[in-house]
Amino acid sequence: MSHTTDETTTSATPPPPTTDPAAAQAADRDLKAKHRAVWASGDYPALAREVIPELGPVLVAAADVGPGRRVLDVAAGSGNASVPAALAGAEVVALDLAPELFEDGRRRAAEAGVEVTWVEGDAEAMPFADAEFDVVLSCVGVMFAPHHRASAAELLRVCRTGGTVALLSWTPTGFIGSLFATMRPYAPPPPPGAQPPPLWGDEAHVRDLLGTGVEGLSAQRRSLTVGRFAGPGAFRAYFSTRYGPTLAVYRSLAGDPERVAALDRDLDALAAAHTRADGTMAWEYLLVTARRTGEAQVTP
Ligand SMILES: C[S@@+](CC[C@H](N)C(=O)[O-])C[C@H]1O[C@@H](n2cnc3c(N)ncnc32)[C@H](O)[C@@H]1O
């Protein structure tokens, strides 16, 4: 399968201007197809259910979600935040690049006895009208769209003035940010202009992206306690088979047992370094909430 690990890039520079819009569009379609394949591989819905189920409810609780609210969950995956938002009484639309994940989401919604509308689409060009939603949220989701300013502009565009933008993102120095940094030397170079996902976990970066499009921005660093893994080897076995970005890096190393062994060692060392005496891990994230101003996205 194709693999892309531009999730691991350190380049924070925006895409270089291209003189050929058709070529740029074709390249973007190709990149998004690769991203879709990455997230559809492995078993992301299992990971969302078994490892990070608390995050959706945390985001929903912070995001002014309730009856009568029209909520958009961007990069919703299998509905980790969409289903809790619907349970809170909101009318919820879940958008994701990888519709393969919706089957599990539909099952979760049915089990919970709620309705969610599932829409295939790209966070950088969403199929919604301006100001359609009262709340636009994303749980470790929009951070994986490669062009941050484009996706930030879309979050703002579809949120009504006075509405809420709420984002939960892994931090660059937390466990998942460090996981991407650890995988980076093993991965093919990212395409030009693709930005690293964990930058969305940096408050200054998010303030810059949302600019005057929001006011009253609050940012809190918090940690998710993960007690799922019996040890570093268990973490690696789980992530290398279920988490698309990790699976993609291993697939790119197929036929190179020495590099595979080196990545194994690096991942084990990373997991060990982040495991506490009681065997649990702390995975740091940034929780951002802000009110939509109705102004354009101008950097302060
Ligand atoms: C780590 S998962 C998070 C899913 C879900 N929000 C959760 O909390 O479990 C990242 C999600 O981002 C989606 N994604 C990546 N790039 C995207 C894009 N450009 N547009 C929309 N979704 C995207 C992936 O398909 C995947 O479902």
Side-chain angles (χ1 to χ4, degrees), residues 36-54:
R36 173 180 169 176
V38 165
W39 288 107
S41 68
D43 190 353
Y44 183 77
L47 193 154
R49 261 185 279 114
E50 295 168 357
V51 186
I52 62 163
E54 293 94 331

mmCIF file of all heavy atoms in Angstrom, residues 36-54:
data_model
loop_
_atom_site.group_PDB
_atom_site.id
_atom_site.type_symbol
_atom_site.label_atom_id
_atom_site.label_comp_id
_atom_site.label_asym_id
_atom_site.label_seq_id
_atom_site.Cartn_x
_atom_site.Cartn_y
_atom_site.Cartn_z
ATOM 1 N N ARG A 36 -5.933 8.927 3.400
ATOM 2 C CA ARG A 36 -7.126 8.095 3.620
ATOM 3 C C ARG A 36 -6.716 6.639 3.820
ATOM 4 O O ARG A 36 -7.197 5.955 4.723
ATOM 5 C CB ARG A 36 -8.084 8.236 2.423
ATOM 6 C CG ARG A 36 -9.238 7.288 2.504
ATOM 7 C CD ARG A 36 -10.185 7.439 1.327
ATOM 8 N NE ARG A 36 -11.138 6.325 1.320
ATOM 9 C CZ ARG A 36 -12.137 6.209 0.467
ATOM 10 N NH1 ARG A 36 -12.337 7.134 -0.451
ATOM 11 N NH2 ARG A 36 -12.950 5.180 0.534
ATOM 12 N N ALA A 37 -5.807 6.162 2.954
ATOM 13 C CA ALA A 37 -5.377 4.760 3.046
ATOM 14 C C ALA A 37 -4.677 4.493 4.379
ATOM 15 O O ALA A 37 -4.854 3.428 4.986
ATOM 16 C CB ALA A 37 -4.453 4.424 1.876
ATOM 17 N N VAL A 38 -3.885 5.463 4.834
ATOM 18 C CA VAL A 38 -3.188 5.284 6.119
ATOM 19 C C VAL A 38 -4.194 5.121 7.256
ATOM 20 O O VAL A 38 -4.104 4.201 8.073
ATOM 21 C CB VAL A 38 -2.245 6.480 6.402
ATOM 22 C CG1 VAL A 38 -1.811 6.504 7.868
ATOM 23 C CG2 VAL A 38 -1.021 6.416 5.497
ATOM 24 N N TRP A 39 -5.198 6.011 7.298
ATOM 25 C CA TRP A 39 -6.134 5.973 8.434
ATOM 26 C C TRP A 39 -7.103 4.805 8.339
ATOM 27 O O TRP A 39 -7.664 4.364 9.348
ATOM 28 C CB TRP A 39 -6.863 7.306 8.558
ATOM 29 C CG TRP A 39 -5.933 8.366 9.068
ATOM 30 C CD1 TRP A 39 -5.385 9.392 8.367
ATOM 31 C CD2 TRP A 39 -5.392 8.477 10.396
ATOM 32 N NE1 TRP A 39 -4.539 10.135 9.167
ATOM 33 C CE2 TRP A 39 -4.530 9.596 10.412
ATOM 34 C CE3 TRP A 39 -5.543 7.738 11.575
ATOM 35 C CZ2 TRP A 39 -3.832 10.005 11.553
ATOM 36 C CZ3 TRP A 39 -4.855 8.141 12.723
ATOM 37 C CH2 TRP A 39 -4.009 9.256 12.692
ATOM 38 N N ALA A 40 -7.314 4.316 7.119
ATOM 39 C CA ALA A 40 -8.206 3.162 6.960
ATOM 40 C C ALA A 40 -7.474 1.856 7.263
ATOM 41 O O ALA A 40 -8.103 0.812 7.423
ATOM 42 C CB ALA A 40 -8.760 3.125 5.535
ATOM 43 N N SER A 41 -6.133 1.910 7.344
ATOM 44 C CA SER A 41 -5.369 0.677 7.609
ATOM 45 C C SER A 41 -5.324 0.428 9.118
ATOM 46 O O SER A 41 -5.642 1.311 9.921
ATOM 47 C CB SER A 41 -3.952 0.809 7.040
ATOM 48 O OG SER A 41 -3.218 1.767 7.767
ATOM 49 N N GLY A 42 -4.898 -0.768 9.467
ATOM 50 C CA GLY A 42 -4.852 -1.101 10.896
ATOM 51 C C GLY A 42 -6.259 -1.231 11.442
ATOM 52 O O GLY A 42 -7.154 -1.750 10.777
ATOM 53 N N ASP A 43 -6.451 -0.705 12.661
ATOM 54 C CA ASP A 43 -7.789 -0.745 13.266
ATOM 55 C C ASP A 43 -7.935 0.470 14.166
ATOM 56 O O ASP A 43 -7.939 0.352 15.396
ATOM 57 C CB ASP A 43 -7.976 -2.059 14.043
ATOM 58 C CG ASP A 43 -9.429 -2.257 14.477
ATOM 59 O OD1 ASP A 43 -10.249 -1.328 14.294
ATOM 60 O OD2 ASP A 43 -9.738 -3.341 14.995
ATOM 61 N N TYR A 44 -8.054 1.661 13.519
ATOM 62 C CA TYR A 44 -8.170 2.871 14.331
ATOM 63 C C TYR A 44 -9.405 2.853 15.247
ATOM 64 O O TYR A 44 -9.306 3.256 16.416
ATOM 65 C CB TYR A 44 -8.154 4.149 13.459
ATOM 66 C CG TYR A 44 -8.194 5.332 14.376
ATOM 67 C CD1 TYR A 44 -7.047 5.734 15.046
ATOM 68 C CD2 TYR A 44 -9.399 5.949 14.676
ATOM 69 C CE1 TYR A 44 -7.091 6.737 15.985
ATOM 70 C CE2 TYR A 44 -9.449 6.958 15.610
ATOM 71 C CZ TYR A 44 -8.291 7.350 16.254
ATOM 72 O OH TYR A 44 -8.349 8.330 17.214
ATOM 73 N N PRO A 45 -10.559 2.357 14.767
ATOM 74 C CA PRO A 45 -11.728 2.361 15.664
ATOM 75 C C PRO A 45 -11.483 1.597 16.971
ATOM 76 O O PRO A 45 -11.969 2.010 18.031
ATOM 77 C CB PRO A 45 -12.822 1.707 14.811
ATOM 78 C CG PRO A 45 -12.447 2.055 13.409
ATOM 79 C CD PRO A 45 -10.936 1.957 13.395
ATOM 80 N N ALA A 46 -10.708 0.488 16.891
ATOM 81 C CA ALA A 46 -10.413 -0.251 18.126
ATOM 82 C C ALA A 46 -9.595 0.626 19.069
ATOM 83 O O ALA A 46 -9.866 0.709 20.274
ATOM 84 C CB ALA A 46 -9.642 -1.529 17.795
ATOM 85 N N LEU A 47 -8.603 1.314 18.508
ATOM 86 C CA LEU A 47 -7.758 2.181 19.332
ATOM 87 C C LEU A 47 -8.586 3.294 19.977
ATOM 88 O O LEU A 47 -8.440 3.602 21.161
ATOM 89 C CB LEU A 47 -6.647 2.764 18.445
ATOM 90 C CG LEU A 47 -5.482 3.449 19.118
ATOM 91 C CD1 LEU A 47 -4.257 3.380 18.210
ATOM 92 C CD2 LEU A 47 -5.779 4.892 19.457
ATOM 93 N N ALA A 48 -9.492 3.873 19.186
ATOM 94 C CA ALA A 48 -10.327 4.953 19.734
ATOM 95 C C ALA A 48 -11.180 4.435 20.886
ATOM 96 O O ALA A 48 -11.362 5.122 21.898
ATOM 97 C CB ALA A 48 -11.213 5.536 18.627
ATOM 98 N N ARG A 49 -11.692 3.218 20.752
ATOM 99 C CA ARG A 49 -12.547 2.651 21.804
ATOM 100 C C ARG A 49 -11.736 2.203 23.007
ATOM 101 O O ARG A 49 -12.155 2.369 24.145
ATOM 102 C CB ARG A 49 -13.308 1.432 21.255
ATOM 103 C CG ARG A 49 -14.729 1.724 20.838
ATOM 104 C CD ARG A 49 -15.461 0.452 20.413
ATOM 105 N NE ARG A 49 -15.134 0.082 19.046
ATOM 106 C CZ ARG A 49 -14.474 -1.011 18.697
ATOM 107 N NH1 ARG A 49 -14.065 -1.871 19.604
ATOM 108 N NH2 ARG A 49 -14.220 -1.258 17.429
ATOM 109 N N GLU A 50 -10.547 1.621 22.756
ATOM 110 C CA GLU A 50 -9.827 0.939 23.838
ATOM 111 C C GLU A 50 -8.796 1.821 24.537
ATOM 112 O O GLU A 50 -8.457 1.572 25.684
ATOM 113 C CB GLU A 50 -9.110 -0.294 23.259
ATOM 114 C CG GLU A 50 -10.075 -1.351 22.745
ATOM 115 C CD GLU A 50 -9.420 -2.452 21.915
ATOM 116 O OE1 GLU A 50 -8.193 -2.395 21.677
ATOM 117 O OE2 GLU A 50 -10.148 -3.360 21.486
ATOM 118 N N VAL A 51 -8.276 2.830 23.813
ATOM 119 C CA VAL A 51 -7.151 3.586 24.388
ATOM 120 C C VAL A 51 -7.510 5.031 24.712
ATOM 121 O O VAL A 51 -7.088 5.557 25.749
ATOM 122 C CB VAL A 51 -5.922 3.538 23.435
ATOM 123 C CG1 VAL A 51 -4.715 4.202 24.085
ATOM 124 C CG2 VAL A 51 -5.593 2.103 23.048
ATOM 125 N N ILE A 52 -8.288 5.691 23.853
ATOM 126 C CA ILE A 52 -8.534 7.125 24.083
ATOM 127 C C ILE A 52 -10.030 7.483 24.179
ATOM 128 O O ILE A 52 -10.410 8.587 23.795
ATOM 129 C CB ILE A 52 -7.849 7.993 23.004
ATOM 130 C CG1 ILE A 52 -8.396 7.683 21.595
ATOM 131 C CG2 ILE A 52 -6.339 7.832 23.032
ATOM 132 C CD1 ILE A 52 -8.063 8.782 20.575
ATOM 133 N N PRO A 53 -10.881 6.594 24.698
ATOM 134 C CA PRO A 53 -12.321 6.914 24.676
ATOM 135 C C PRO A 53 -12.684 8.118 25.532
ATOM 136 O O PRO A 53 -13.696 8.767 25.272
ATOM 137 C CB PRO A 53 -12.972 5.627 25.227
ATOM 138 C CG PRO A 53 -11.925 4.992 26.059
ATOM 139 C CD PRO A 53 -10.628 5.307 25.370
ATOM 140 N N GLU A 54 -11.856 8.450 26.520
ATOM 141 C CA GLU A 54 -12.193 9.584 27.400
ATOM 142 C C GLU A 54 -12.110 10.926 26.669
ATOM 143 O O GLU A 54 -12.730 11.901 27.088
ATOM 144 C CB GLU A 54 -11.226 9.670 28.597
ATOM 145 C CG GLU A 54 -11.338 8.530 29.588
ATOM 146 C CD GLU A 54 -10.322 7.430 29.273
ATOM 147 O OE1 GLU A 54 -9.964 7.272 28.081
ATOM 148 O OE2 GLU A 54 -9.910 6.731 30.202
#
